[in-house]
């Protein structure tokens, strides 16, 4: 996705709105989906229906986690921590890397679903955050059978 200044403004406005909120509401969740989750807003299917049902039931944490899995499938929940009355959430594209080497999207709030949503918005702000799983390293699958070196080192 190319850099879009308006989308950045929407994400910044949404993040500030989430920081001020006391609890997640259907209206706030709809704003996040409409202004931040472009892929979700254009999609029709069972995944979208599942998320809409979770929102309707007020299952906020499950709805937000399902939204992350749908909108940014390459990002995974890395850590959730509750400390000093606040939830801290980290999302990562490489959760198996040590924390010092990993680039994470962080969010914190008194409400767990809001902390996760803030981390989602941070991931959406990442320039590579919207790429569909494309990495800079070519992925090579091992072949079945035996490998043999045929180079002539003489």
């Amino acid at each position: 996705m190319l850099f879009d200044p308006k989308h950045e403004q929407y994400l910044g406005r949404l993040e500030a709105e989430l920081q001020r909120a006391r609890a997640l509401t259907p209206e706030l969740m709809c704003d996040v989906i409409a202004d931040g989750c472009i892929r979700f807003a254009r999609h029709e299917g069972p995944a979208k229906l599942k998320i809409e049902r979770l929102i309707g039931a007020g299952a906020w944490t499950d709805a937000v986690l399902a939204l992350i899995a749908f909108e940014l499938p390459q990002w995974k929940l890395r850590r959730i921590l509750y400390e000093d009355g606040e939830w801290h959430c980290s999302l990562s594209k490489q959760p198996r890397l040590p924390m010092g080497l990993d680039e994470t999207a962080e969010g914190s709030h008194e409400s767990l679903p809001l902390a996760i949503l803030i981390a989602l918005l941070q991931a959406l702000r990442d320039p590579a955050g919207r790429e569909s799983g494309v990495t800079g390293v070519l992925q090579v699958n091992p072949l079945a059978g035996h490998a043999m070196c045929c180079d002539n080192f003489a």
Side-chain angles (χ1 to χ4, degrees):
M1 174 181 198
L2 297 175
F3 176 75
D4 181 7
K6 282 195 174 199
H7 192 254
E8 280 290 314
Q9 289 175 351
Y10 291 140
L11 294 178
R13 180 187 58 78
L14 282 172
E15 189 174 337
E17 196 173 333
L18 291 176
Q19 289 288 356
R20 288 189 306 267
R22 304 290 281 149
L24 193 53
T25 63
E27 295 79 22
L28 191 53
M29 188 73 165
C30 288
D31 287 346
V32 169
I33 289 171
D35 292 341
C37 300
I38 297 168
R39 184 174 178 219
F40 181 83
R42 289 186 282 191
H43 184 75
E44 293 296 327
K48 185 173 183 176
L49 185 60
K50 174 188 173 186
I51 294 170
E52 289 172 348
R53 285 183 181 162
L54 289 169
I55 292 169
W60 299 118
T61 303
D62 291 337
V64 172
L65 291 173
L67 183 61
I68 290 170
F70 182 84
E71 186 70 20
L72 297 173
Q74 69 274 21
W75 289 82
K76 305 294 180 221
L77 183 63
R78 180 176 180 113
R79 180 177 65 176
I80 296 177
L81 173 71
Y82 185 73
E83 186 174 62
D84 297 329
E86 229 180 32
W87 289 98
H88 302 275
C89 174
S90 298
L91 300 177
S92 169
K93 287 198 288 187
Q94 301 291 328
R96 292 189 180 119
L97 284 177
M99 285 293 285
L101 299 175
D102 192 15
E103 293 182 31
T104 59
E106 306 275 335
S108 60
H109 197 277
E110 295 172 353
S111 167
L112 178 59
L114 287 170
I116 299 171
L117 263 182
I118 291 167
L120 169 65
L121 293 179
Q122 287 293 319
L124 290 170
R125 288 179 133 178
D126 178 21
R130 291 203 149 276
E131 293 176 9
S132 59
V134 177
T135 62
V137 178
L138 177 63
Q139 300 294 319
V140 179
N141 294 327
L143 297 175
H146 301 284
M148 182 187 312
C149 179
C150 297
D151 289 339
N152 182 1
F153 295 107

